[in-house]
């Protein structure tokens, strides 16, 4: 597995600026030919008795060049020398360094991009893995004066950013950390961690990476039996003075025939109204990518004069039913309509040998956002990092100069460093394109919507792992996040490799190992709800429920940070398999996708588009800025009654028995939890519906619909 340089193609140049956009957005271009895979190794063993391989030393220091001398009686243009960690058999994983050895004899110089440790050099035949000579072992010792990767386990001592309803618009949050024992004993909604839930059976349960701590679970499959029904209600939340209210919650729903998941809303204890339904008419049974590891988002009008709202979840299934898990239920005020024009950016990644698709995408983004202030390129711009591949990208940049934003911001990916010559040489070609001195930096987009800070992270060392970073880079991230937070700005963070358990596909355990600093970076970012991380690499579809998600941490802000999948302008990948840890990944087809970022002073909007489908919109997410005043949709004032000239009666009329008034809904002063920020107190235990008098009407309606299923009441809490 060593990359071969791509054959050079001539990119189409467009000369007339007036016709530039029209030509770029013409019918979708055929995808550029992807880089060819190495030819298969010969079936028969290569006869090379006279082949030899030697190194100029048996031990080196990090950064010291390595010279290999080779000779063979079967020369071939595709013979090559690869350097692997000791104990690795060529073909089992990519080589760390490699170059072609095409002659009957010669020498190759490798840059010293190797970490301290034991290594092996292999002389291999014809783009395959058949050895031509005995491998040569050598060691690399650390240079005590050379920069080294940072400490992934270094402690993070940052206080989470403090927000409240005046800035984040959040009325109440519930994490489902506890559901009473009666519910668990009845096999209804239960509370447990994802690890506990998947201890005996996975079947895609482990994909619920949004889960944070304990979650609420209704699992018909694990309960067994022919029928399953359960209801879960939250404490009432005050909505006085609001025109609308919004409910969001993390949801992991696997459908089955005859199964349904419903969300109900009741104002002031009145009749419950269905506001969301998941069933066979809305969800594909068996597997629906839009409903796995997703966030549900429901907005509903508040009736005039209403005081509070109660939300409840109802899950029903028959034989063969599956499951529904939920977490992080949050009740919000609804943000007022946006005003003014935004600062804009185009966002692309994973072009990876498809410069024609890149050019077409630029043309369509020029129509979607012609006044954009920046082009964000989130890594894997080229396929291996050769000069020829970069020339193709430069050709596209030249051809589209008339419509592109002036500012280009690029992050290094893994494919920028696969060409022969070593990490340093490949990184130098990337930095020349990025026009900066290091792989990490900060930029500021300036536009109508104000300044937008963009922090770019990147790999500094050849090893270990895919994104080895210095402590200085981590400190830079910490410092700049704090700086922009003090200025009440939302911050864009670009990193090609996603952090584990963030966007699409990263629920798989191996994605938590890509960043050397995965845990440390996640802990830092978790304190900043104004941070929005853009990452590529997975090539997963935008249609999936976790295209954009909030990643929460144990010691961070209650809302965590946001993470966005930048998709790909190359082939698309997806996961197959029931088991989370052992799933495999397959290609699903050629794609060409990207996003437009709109930033206003009080919110950030990301919209995903399909450039193979005339810029069809795939997804959109709006992320309020939690650091500035939240402008909610307030209820219109109730007009005062018109004055009347009729005199007041001197004697109050007597009511007849038929005029008895209907009982009024409970007020906050009489309902449980009165006086808290929201109804309910931190850490209070939920009750069964029958034990809560003021919720009896809702409980009766839901339980009747379930045929006697148990209703569990969960108290919401307000957390900073």
């Amino acid at each position: 597995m060593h990359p071969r340089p791509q054959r050079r193609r001539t990119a189409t140049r467009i000369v007339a600026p007036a016709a530039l956009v029209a030509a770029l957005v013409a019918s979708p271009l055929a995808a550029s030919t992807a880089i060819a895979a190495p030819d298969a190794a010969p079936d028969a063993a290569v006869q090379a008795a006279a082949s030899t391989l030697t190194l100029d030393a048996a031990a080196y220091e990090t950064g010291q060049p390595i010279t290999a001398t080779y000779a063979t009686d079967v020369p071939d243009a595709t013979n090559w020398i690869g350097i692997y960690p000791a104990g690795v058999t060529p073909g089992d994983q990519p080589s760390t360094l490699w170059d072609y050895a095409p002659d009957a004899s010669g020498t190759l110089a490798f840059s010293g991009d190797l970490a301290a440790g034991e290594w092996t050099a292999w002389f291999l035949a014809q783009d395959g893995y058949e050895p031509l000579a005995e491998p040569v072992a050598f060691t690399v010792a650390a240079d005590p004066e050379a920069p080294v990767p940072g400490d992934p386990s270094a402690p993070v001592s940052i206080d989470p950013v403090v927000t409240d309803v005046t800035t984040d618009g959040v009325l109440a949050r519930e994490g489902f950390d506890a559901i009473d024992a009666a519910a668990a004993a009845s096999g209804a909604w239960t509370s447990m961690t994802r690890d506990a839930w998947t201890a005996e059976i996975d079947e895609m349960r482990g994909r619920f990476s949004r889960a944070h701590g304990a979650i609420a679970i209704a699992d018909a499959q694990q309960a067994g039996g022919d029928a399953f029904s359960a209801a879960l209600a939250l404490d009432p939340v005050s909505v006085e003075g609001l025109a609308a209210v919004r409910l969001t919650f993390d949801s992991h729903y696997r459908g089955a025939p005859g199964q349904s998941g419903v969300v109900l809303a009741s104002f002031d204890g009145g009749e419950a109204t269905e506001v969301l339904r998941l069933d066979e008419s809305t969800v594909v049974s068996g597997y629906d990518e839009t409903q796995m590891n997703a966030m549900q988002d429901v907005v509903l009008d508040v009736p005039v004069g209403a005081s509070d709202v109660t939300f409840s979840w109802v899950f029903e299934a028959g034989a063969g039913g599956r499951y529904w898990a939920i977490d992080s239920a949050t009740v919000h005020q609804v943000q007022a309509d946006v005003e003014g024009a935004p600062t804009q950016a185009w966002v692309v990644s994973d072009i990876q040998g498809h410069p024609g698709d890149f050019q077409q995408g630029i043309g369509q983004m020029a129509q979607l956002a012609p006044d954009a202030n920046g082009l964000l390129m989130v890594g894997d711009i080229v396929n291996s990092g050769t000069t020829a591949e970069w020339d193709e990208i430069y050709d596209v940049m030249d051809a589209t100069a008339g419509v592109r934003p002036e500012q280009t911001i690029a992050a290094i990916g893994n494919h920028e460093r696969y060409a022969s010559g070593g990490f340093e040489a490949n990184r130098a070609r990337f930095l020349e394109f990025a026009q900066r001195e290091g792989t990490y930096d900060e930029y500021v987009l300036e536009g109508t919507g104000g300044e937008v800070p963009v922090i770019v992270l990147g790999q500094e060392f050849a090893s270990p792992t895919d994104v080895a970073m210095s402590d200085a880079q981590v400190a830079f991230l910490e410092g700049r996040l704090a700086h922009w937070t003090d200025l009440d700005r939302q911050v864009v963070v670009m990193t090609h490799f996603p952090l584990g358990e963030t966007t699409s596909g990263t629920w798989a355990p191996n994605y938590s190992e890509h960043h050397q600093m995965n845990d440390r970076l996640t802990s830092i970012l978790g304190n900043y709800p104004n941070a929005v991380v853009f990452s590529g690499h997975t090539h997963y579809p935008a249609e999936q429920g976790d295209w954009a998600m909030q990643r929460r941490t144990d010691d961070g802000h209650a809302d965590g940070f946001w993470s966005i999948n930048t998709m790909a302008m190359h082939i698309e990948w997806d996961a197959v398999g029931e088991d989370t840890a052992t799933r495999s990944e397959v290609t699903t087809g050629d794609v060409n996708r990207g996003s437009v970022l709109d930033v206003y002073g009080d919110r950030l909007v990301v919209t995903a588009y399909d450039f193979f489908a005339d810029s069809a919109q795939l997804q959109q997410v709006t992320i309020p800025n939690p650091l500035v005043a939240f402008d909610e949709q307030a209820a219109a004032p109730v007009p005062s009654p018109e004055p009347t000239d009729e005199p007041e009666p001197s004697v109050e009329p007597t009511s007849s028995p038929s005029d008895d008034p209907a009982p009024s809904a409970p007020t906050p002063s009489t309902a449980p939890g009165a006086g808290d920020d929201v109804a309910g107190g931190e850490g209070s235990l939920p009750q069964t519906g029958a034990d809560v008098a003021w919720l009896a009407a809702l409980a009766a309606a839901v339980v009747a619909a379930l045929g006697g299923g148990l209703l569990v009441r969960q108290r919401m809490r307000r957390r900073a």
Side-chain angles (χ1 to χ4, degrees):
M1 280 183 245
H2 70 292
R4 291 184 58 186
Q6 182 179 354
R7 292 188 296 274
R8 183 72 167 87
R9 295 187 301 104
T10 302
T12 303
R13 286 182 174 272
I14 301 172
V15 179
L20 181 55
V21 174
L24 290 174
V25 299
S27 56
L29 306 173
S32 308
T33 302
I35 189 169
D39 299 329
D43 292 335
V46 176
Q47 301 300 314
S51 297
T52 59
L53 174 66
T54 59
L55 301 180
D56 61 335
Y60 302 87
E61 284 190 348
T62 53
Q64 182 180 349
I66 299 167
T67 300
T69 300
Y70 68 91
T72 181
D73 57 355
V74 285
D76 189 277
T78 59
N79 289 347
W80 61 288
I81 294 173
I83 296 178
Y84 291 82
V88 173
T89 301
D92 289 348
Q93 71 180 51
S95 56
T96 303
L97 300 174
W98 74 276
D99 204 351
Y100 282 118
D103 301 322
S105 63
T107 60
L108 294 177
F110 293 94
S111 62
D113 299 341
L114 302 176
E118 297 182 352
W119 298 85
T120 305
W122 295 77
F123 188 15
L124 304 168
Q126 301 173 18
D127 270 339
Y129 304 107
E130 186 71 29
L132 290 170
E134 289 295 319
V136 180
F138 64 97
T139 61
V140 175
D143 178 353
E145 298 182 0
V148 295
D151 180 5
S153 61
V156 174
S157 55
I158 299 175
D159 292 330
V161 172
V162 176
T163 63
D164 59 31
V165 68
T166 65
T167 59
D168 59 29
V170 174
L171 298 168
R173 298 181 178 88
E174 176 53 55
F176 303 105
D177 294 332
I179 294 178
D180 65 9
S186 303
W189 286 95
T190 58
S191 177
M192 66 180 75
T193 64
R194 180 178 53 154
D195 287 345
W197 187 33
T198 60
E200 296 183 1
I201 183 172
D202 188 344
E203 296 191 7
M204 299 189 185
R205 291 168 176 82
R207 295 190 182 193
F208 191 23
S209 63
R210 291 178 183 266
H212 178 229
I215 58 180
I217 301 163
D219 195 325
Q221 183 180 14
Q222 289 191 352
D226 295 331
F228 183 97
S229 61
L232 173 66
L234 300 182
D235 235 28
V237 177
S238 174
V239 293
E240 286 192 80
L242 299 180
V245 66
R246 176 182 174 220
L247 170 70
T248 63
F249 63 96
D250 295 339
S251 172
H252 195 58
Y253 182 92
R254 192 164 190 187
Q259 177 179 298
S260 65
V262 174
V263 178
L264 302 169
S266 169
F267 288 94
D268 296 332
E271 181 180 356
T273 302
E274 185 176 293
V275 297
L276 175 70
R277 170 170 285 272
L278 305 176
D279 60 18
E280 289 178 86
S281 66
T282 59
V283 178
V284 178
S285 294
Y287 172 71
D288 189 326
E289 64 180 356
T290 68
Q291 300 301 326
M292 306 290 283
N293 204 29
M295 184 183 79
Q296 301 293 349
D297 193 334
V298 179
V299 175
L300 58 157
D301 293 334
V302 174
V304 175
S307 297
D308 60 56
V309 63
T310 299
F311 290 104
S312 58
W313 286 256
V314 180
F315 180 74
E316 292 185 286
R322 289 288 194 167
Y323 51 79
W324 193 12
I326 62 175
D327 197 15
S328 300
T330 308
V331 183
H332 316 250
Q333 298 173 339
V334 176
Q335 199 167 23
D337 293 339
V338 70
E339 296 181 356
T343 299
Q344 291 185 306
W346 305 345
V347 185
V348 301
S349 74
D350 300 274
I351 302 164
Q352 204 171 318
H354 284 215
D357 293 345
F358 176 39
Q359 184 163 319
Q360 182 197 8
I362 286 178
Q364 294 196 25
M365 287 185 289
Q367 290 188 329
L368 293 165
D371 299 321
N373 308 100
L375 167 62
L376 311 187
M377 305 179 74
V378 193
D380 278 9
I381 300 165
V382 292
N383 197 48
S384 65
T386 65
T387 300
E389 291 169 357
W390 280 112
D391 284 345
E392 290 184 330
I393 296 299
Y394 284 121
D395 286 345
V396 174
M397 299 293 280
D398 291 343
T400 58
V403 296
R404 278 190 299 103
E406 291 186 5
Q407 189 168 25
T408 297
I409 303 173
I412 192 170
N414 52 304
H415 278 264
E416 277 80 20
R417 56 180 176 79
Y418 284 158
S420 63
F423 177 74
E424 296 296 337
N426 283 301
R427 182 176 62 175
R429 285 189 286 272
F430 163 77
L431 292 176
E432 182 180 5
F433 173 80
Q435 298 184 17
R436 64 174 186 263
E437 296 182 356
T439 53
Y440 68 93
D441 209 335
E442 179 187 86
Y443 299 78
V444 178
L445 297 176
E446 296 183 353
T448 309
E451 293 183 338
V452 180
V454 180
I455 300 172
V456 185
L457 305 180
Q459 181 168 349
E460 297 176 78
F461 307 92
S463 59
T465 71
D466 285 307
V467 193
M469 305 168 70
S470 65
D471 285 327
Q473 182 173 177
V474 178
F476 174 80
L477 172 66
E478 290 180 324
R480 301 317 294 166
L481 284 172
H483 169 78
W484 291 108
T485 298
D486 287 343
L487 297 178
D488 295 336
R489 299 287 186 181
Q490 287 180 288
V491 183
V492 172
V493 179
M494 289 171 50
T495 170
H496 175 70
F497 280 96
L499 295 167
E501 299 191 336
T502 56
T503 57
S504 311
T506 61
W507 38 259
N510 62 297
Y511 279 106
S512 293
E513 301 170 359
H514 278 315
H515 269 277
Q516 179 207 17
M517 299 284 189
N518 183 87
D519 294 348
R520 188 174 169 188
L521 293 176
T522 301
S523 180
I524 292 167
L525 289 162
N527 296 290
Y528 293 97
N530 55 316
V532 183
V533 178
F534 285 81
S535 62
H537 188 65
T538 65
H539 296 226
Y540 273 43
E543 290 86 349
Q544 296 191 345
D546 46 11
W547 164 74
M549 68 172 285
Q550 287 171 278
R551 174 67 157 89
R552 296 173 174 86
T553 59
D554 290 340
D555 53 358
H557 188 278
D559 295 331
F561 64 94
W562 279 88
S563 184
I564 310 289
N565 171 19
T566 57
M567 304 167 292
M569 287 183 150
H570 185 37
I571 56 173
E572 189 172 79
W573 290 79
D574 204 351
V576 294
E578 291 286 322
D579 185 73
T580 301
T582 62
R583 66 84 180 91
S584 58
E585 293 182 303
V586 297
T587 58
T588 59
D590 194 18
V591 295
N592 188 9
R593 295 177 164 191
S595 305
V596 172
L597 168 66
D598 296 319
V599 184
Y600 306 85
D602 65 346
R603 74 197 71 187
L604 177 155
V605 181
V606 185
T607 310
Y609 294 99
D610 186 345
F611 302 135
F612 275 174
D614 295 325
S615 297
Q617 182 175 317
L618 300 169
Q619 290 265 31
Q620 186 177 78
V621 62
T622 298
I623 305 172
N625 182 348
L627 306 181
V628 300
F630 190 93
D631 186 12
E632 77 277 9
Q633 293 185 15
V638 179
S640 302
E642 293 293 332
T644 176
D645 294 332
E646 296 182 11
E648 292 287 335
S650 56
V651 179
E652 196 162 319
T654 303
S655 300
S656 65
S658 60
D659 294 329
D660 286 345
S664 60
T667 64
S669 62
T670 60
D676 295 342
D677 287 341
V678 298
E682 181 74 33
S684 59
L685 292 175
Q687 313 261 331
T688 58
D691 295 330
V692 186
W694 57 270
L695 197 55
L698 175 61
V702 174
V703 173
L706 293 173
L710 184 68
L711 173 70
V712 179
R713 172 174 160 265
Q714 184 75 7
R715 309 198 72 174
M716 300 196 76
R717 74 282 316 260
R718 171 79 182 138
R719 295 187 302 194

